[in-house]
Amino acid sequence: MLFPTVEYALFFLAVLSIAWSVYQLPRVHKGFLLLASYAFYGFWNWTFLPLLIGISVFSGIVAKFIQRSSSPWARKTWLVVGVTVCLGVLGYFKYTGFLLTNWFAFWGWLAPPPRIPITSPLLPLGISFFVFHAISLLADCYRGKVTEPVQLGDALLYVAFFPQLIAGPILRASRFLPQLAVRRNPDAIRVNRAFLLILSGLFKKVVISNMLATRLVEPVFSVPRSFGAADTLLAIYGYAAQIYCDFSGYTDIAIGCALLLGFRLPRNFNAPYKATNPQEFWRRWHISLSRWMRDYLYFPLGGSRKGPLRTAFNLMLTMLLGGLWHGAAWTFVAWGGLHGLILVAYRLWSRSSWHELIAIHHWTAGLWIARILLFHAVCAGWVLFRAPSFAIAFEVFGRLAVPGAATLATTPICIALLLGLAGQYMPSRWGNALEVELGRWPALARGAALAVVIALIEVLGPTGVAPFIYFQF
């Protein structure tokens, strides 16, 4: 069930109406949201619903054992068991085909590989996200960040809460579970804020992302040899805008829907292409994943506490695993490795004692040069991220040296590209001012404006709804 569809709109309106009609009965309210979340997931494929429920129940039970254990050894044992099982499930579904393919390829260098009738399992939708939620529950209980005893029903809803179930943002158990313990308050809902988030998310996804995908990015990355340097460069910029608008648009809708239900989800994007260094980029891009990798992977590895060489190793390993999390292909590993190298290089640069380099850090023009260089480095990584193989990626890079006019640079494409990239420089106070202004309008006027904007999005967007990019992860 995709967000920008009539099916989801009807589903959400029904859930919203029923949820608020029973909000004064906390157990009934939470039970209904849990059933709605399972219905939302089952709409895609009911056969994988037991997997979602099983992971949720397992993590909830292990979390209770962690909390009840007084021995540090027992707590750590339960944590290791829980995380191992969760990662084992993720590895089986997501990486079986990848591992078998590479094993047989390696075997083929030594001798003819055997013919074994093994097929890769179908990848369950959103498995990376709900497995990470389960691990967060275990880790937060182990670290004592979840202070109240875990209730199994709350753990199930935390893992399966439908606005963020398919593609995030990744929630922390220590921040979401306390919200379940508080009775919903309809007077505290920022309705105008929620609608602005949903409308902006729909516009970014349905209009900007879909237009760039269908009319620019897909044609070039499907047949790179048919295009010259201008179209290829435009498509690379186009994918940078497409993936940002696609994913941030999804999370805007998710945050807006959760807000209407009375829950606060964390911000997941903060104008990432405004970043002037790679550390800042990862504080702005997919913020919930960046913090998850930092807190549950980079810091446990030692972070930056064990010297420069160990810090570089920790950064590289974290980013390589982050790349592999995004997809079971070597192109994703290379994408993560590229970002790891950029982070290591920046760390050396920022700790340099050269006075000339220190001066550049405080030079306005130098910041803009750094911003532009970083953006192009990120775009180079997006080529690896988007290309289905290294051959296609290298062909895309190679076409940048082939002269050719920009045949795909139509007016709608240029406007969409400008909005997707330059739109990140819009001051955040504009959104806050618009929210306040809407609060002064009569309810009828706000409803009419909402209907007009949705109609414009429908008219401006290309025919059909492309799947969200991060659904595959």
Side-chain angles (χ1 to χ4, degrees):
M1 191 184 301
L2 301 177
F3 277 175
T5 59
V6 174
E7 291 86 356
Y8 178 76
L10 296 175
F11 167 81
F12 183 72
L13 286 174
V15 170
L16 186 66
S17 301
I18 298 173
W20 281 112
S21 68
V22 298
Y23 78 95
Q24 293 182 327
L25 304 171
R27 289 190 178 182
V28 176
H29 179 260
K30 290 188 287 188
F32 170 73
L33 288 179
L34 181 61
L35 291 177
S37 298
Y38 289 154
F40 174 83
Y41 191 79
F43 187 87
W44 169 69
N45 190 333
W46 284 100
T47 59
F48 286 107
L49 188 55
L51 175 65
L52 172 61
I53 297 174
I55 287 289
S56 305
V57 171
F58 172 78
S59 61
I61 292 174
V62 174
K64 292 172 78 70
F65 281 131
I66 291 174
Q67 287 186 318
R68 293 173 179 175
S69 299
S70 57
S71 165
W73 180 86
R75 289 167 57 83
K76 190 169 186 177
T77 299
W78 280 117
L79 175 68
V80 171
V81 170
V83 171
T84 301
V85 171
C86 290
L87 291 179
V89 170
L90 178 63
Y92 169 74
F93 282 100
K94 194 166 184 175
Y95 302 108
T96 296
F98 176 70
L99 293 174
L100 288 175
T101 299
N102 284 278
W103 170 250
F104 286 132
F106 174 76
W107 197 334
W109 293 343
L110 305 176
R115 296 183 178 274
I116 303 176
I118 299 177
T119 59
S120 178
L122 180 65
L123 184 64
L125 198 62
I127 186 172
S128 297
F129 290 92
F130 64 73
V131 166
F132 270 26
H133 278 96
I135 293 175
S136 175
L137 175 62
L138 301 174
D140 283 358
C141 287
Y142 175 76
R143 295 176 176 181
K145 292 185 176 181
V146 177
T147 56
E148 297 296 324
V150 172
Q151 303 298 320
L152 186 57
D154 289 356
L156 298 180
L157 182 55
Y158 157 67
V159 175
F161 188 49
F162 73 88
Q164 54 73 43
L165 174 59
I166 303 301
I170 299 173
L171 307 181
R172 297 294 182 89
S174 56
R175 295 185 180 182
F176 187 77
L177 292 180
Q179 295 186 56
L180 295 177
V182 179
R183 179 172 294 184
R184 304 298 98 202
N185 180 8
D187 296 329
I189 304 303
R190 295 173 63 181
V191 176
N192 296 327
R193 176 66 175 171
F195 281 134
L196 287 175
L197 283 168
I198 292 171
L199 290 177
S200 67
L202 286 172
F203 183 80
K204 285 192 285 186
K205 167 57 185 172
V206 175
V207 179
I208 299 178
S209 178
N210 284 5
M211 184 178 295
L212 291 174
T214 56
R215 301 182 186 179
L216 177 62
V217 177
E218 185 63 32
V220 172
F221 276 83
S222 296
V223 193
R225 69 179 69 90
S226 301
F227 299 93
D231 278 333
T232 302
L233 184 61
L234 197 66
I236 293 173
Y237 291 157
Y239 186 68
Q242 178 201 344
I243 192 171
Y244 165 74
C245 289
D246 188 279
F247 195 16
S248 69
Y250 177 95
T251 53
D252 282 350
I253 300 171
I255 294 170
C257 290
L259 189 57
L260 288 176
L261 290 168
F263 295 92
R264 297 182 305 276
L265 303 189
R267 187 177 186 178
N268 213 24
F269 290 88
N270 182 19
Y273 296 141
K274 289 174 62 176
T276 58
N277 64 70
Q279 285 185 354
E280 184 186 2
F281 175 80
W282 284 104
R283 294 190 186 109
R284 292 173 174 267
W285 177 273
H286 204 344
I287 299 169
S288 60
L289 175 64
S290 301
R291 291 176 177 172
W292 197 99
M293 292 193 301
R294 179 197 66 189
D295 294 346
Y296 299 133
L297 184 57
Y298 178 68
F299 284 166
L301 286 172
S304 57
R305 301 187 302 273
K306 299 185 177 181
L309 289 179
R310 181 60 183 271
T311 298
F313 173 81
N314 293 341
L315 283 171
M316 285 299 302
L317 181 58
T318 299
M319 296 310 300
L320 287 170
L321 292 176
L324 191 62
W325 176 86
H326 279 83
W330 287 111
T331 50
F332 289 108
V333 177
W335 171 77
L338 174 62
H339 276 278
L341 290 173
I342 295 172
L343 285 167
V344 171
Y346 172 71
R347 192 171 186 84
L348 295 174
W349 167 285
S350 63
R351 283 157 176 71
S352 172
S353 60
W354 294 359
H355 295 293
E356 293 80 1
L357 295 182
I358 295 174
I360 291 176
H361 291 170
H362 303 285
W363 182 32
T364 302
L367 292 177
W368 273 101
I369 292 172
R371 182 176 285 124
I372 293 171
L373 290 175
L374 176 64
F375 173 72
H376 285 84
V378 170
C379 286
W382 287 140
V383 174
L384 295 170
F385 194 95
R386 171 61 177 81
S389 65
F390 283 117
I392 297 295
F394 293 150
E395 190 172 2
V396 169
F397 286 129
R399 300 307 293 180
L400 293 173
V402 178
T407 61
L408 299 177
T410 61
T411 299
I413 287 297
C414 292
I415 293 175
L417 187 57
L418 180 65
L419 291 174
L421 296 178
Q424 296 181 53
Y425 288 85
M426 182 184 75
S428 59
R429 65 178 182 274
W430 290 5
N432 297 330
L434 182 56
E435 180 186 352
V436 173
E437 179 61 28
L438 285 175
R440 300 191 180 103
W441 292 16
L444 183 61
R446 279 180 285 174
L450 176 65
V452 169
V453 174
I454 291 176
L456 286 174
I457 291 173
E458 178 65 24
V459 170
L460 294 174
T463 303
V465 180
F468 286 98
I469 293 174
Y470 266 68
F471 276 8
Q472 62 184 301
F473 308 133

